[in-house]
Amino acid sequence: MFRVASLATALLVCPVAVAAAGCRLALVLAMDVSSSVDAAEDRLQRGGMASALVSDAVARAFFASDLPVALAVYEWSGRYNQQLILDWTLIGTLDDLLRAAETVARSKRSHNDFPTAMGYGLGYGAGLLERAPSCLYKTLDMAGDGQNNEGFGPQHAYAAFPFEGVTVNGLVVNAADYEAEVGLIAFYRAEVLHGPGAFLVVANGFEDYERAMRIKLERELTPPAIGMLTAPVDAG
C-alpha cells in the first residue's frame, strides 16, 4: 500500500472529522435494469462491473490509503423497482473486494420490464447513503443507457432527497443511434452530474462497460481525486 500526500494533508487539517470517520469514501454503484437493457446487455454490465472491481488498477486505488472504502451496489428501473445487490461492505482487504465482486457477478436481475425512473433511482441511492458507515466522502454512480421517462427527474430528486455533501457521477452507455447518444450525454451533463468534482464516463455500448467502469472507479478511488475537483469533467 502507498500513501498520497494530498490525502495526508487533508487528514491533518480535519483531525476531528477523521477521528469520527470509519472510512474515507462511501461509494454506491447504481445499475440500470430498465426495459431498454436486454438480457445479454445485463450480463455484460454485471460481469463488467465485477471484473472492473478486481482489476489491478482499481484494486490498487481501493487500498491507496489506510482508511478503507465502504461499497454498496443496487439496481434501478421503474419508480418502485430498486433492488439492493450488495449492502454496505467495508473493503479493507483483497478478500473483501473479491467477495464483493463475486456477489455482483452472481446477482440475478430483479426486474426487466419497467421504464427509466431516474429520480426514484436517485432517491433510493440517497436513502442508502443515509445509512452508510461514517466516511469522509460520499459518492453515488448512476449508470444508464436512457433518459428519465417516468416520474420526476434528477433535479427534483436532488431537491427532495438528502444529497448534501454527495457527489453523483455518471456512466453513460451509448445507444446505437447517434442522435440518441448525443442527447443522453447532454442529459447526464445537465441533469445527472451533481456535487463537487462530478464527472462523466462514456461506454461505447455494453461491450465497453467494463473499460468505462474501470476508468471511473480508478478515478473515484484514487485519493487525490476524492473531493479535489471543482468542475464536471468528461472521461472517455
Side-chain angles (χ1 to χ4, degrees):
M1 289 189 289
F2 58 90
R3 301 192 180 199
V4 181
S6 59
L7 179 64
T9 300
L11 300 188
L12 290 172
V13 170
C14 305
V16 175
V18 173
C23 66
R24 60 184 171 97
L25 174 66
L27 177 62
V28 182
L29 307 179
M31 184 186 303
D32 182 0
V33 295
S34 59
S35 57
S36 60
V37 179
D38 64 29
E41 292 168 340
D42 182 67
R43 288 192 295 271
L44 284 170
Q45 68 177 342
R46 288 175 202 273
M49 181 182 290
S51 296
L53 283 168
V54 296
S55 65
D56 288 343
V58 172
R60 284 195 299 271
F62 261 107
F63 305 117
S65 165
D66 291 339
L67 284 176
V69 171
L71 180 68
V73 182
Y74 70 96
E75 58 184 45
W76 64 278
S77 56
R79 63 179 66 195
Y80 305 121
N81 309 109
Q82 298 87 35
Q83 180 67 41
L84 188 64
I85 294 174
L86 176 72
D87 206 350
W88 285 113
T89 301
L90 277 178
I91 308 298
T93 67
L94 183 57
D95 283 344
D96 295 335
L97 183 57
L98 292 172
R99 283 193 294 268
E102 185 177 14
T103 298
V104 174
R106 291 186 174 183
S107 64
K108 301 298 181 182
R109 183 174 186 165
S110 60
H111 304 284
N112 60 15
D113 56 356
F114 290 93
T116 304
M118 190 174 288
Y120 287 88
L122 285 165
Y124 182 88
L128 192 56
L129 282 164
E130 280 282 275
R131 64 175 185 83
S134 178
C135 299
L136 295 174
Y137 302 98
K138 295 181 179 181
T139 294
L140 169 60
D141 284 331
M142 286 299 289
D145 75 336
Q147 298 185 36
N148 184 74
N149 58 22
E150 183 185 44
F152 54 87
Q155 293 303 311
H156 286 91
Y158 294 141
F161 294 99
F163 275 97
E164 183 178 357
V166 176
T167 296
V168 180
N169 296 325
L171 193 161
V172 166
V173 183
N174 271 0
D177 178 73
Y178 179 74
E179 291 184 3
E181 294 171 10
V182 173
L184 181 58
I185 292 170
F187 171 76
Y188 263 75
R189 285 175 178 161
E191 301 290 331
V192 180
L193 298 186
H194 175 81
F199 67 92
L200 178 68
V201 177
V202 178
N204 296 311
F206 282 92
E207 295 80 1
D208 192 39
Y209 195 96
E210 178 183 343
R211 180 199 66 86
M213 179 63 72
R214 188 171 62 249
I215 289 173
K216 183 176 57 58
L217 287 171
E218 184 180 5
R219 179 167 172 178
E220 289 165 336
L221 292 163
T222 300
I226 300 174
M228 299 299 289
L229 300 178
T230 58
V233 179
D234 290 353

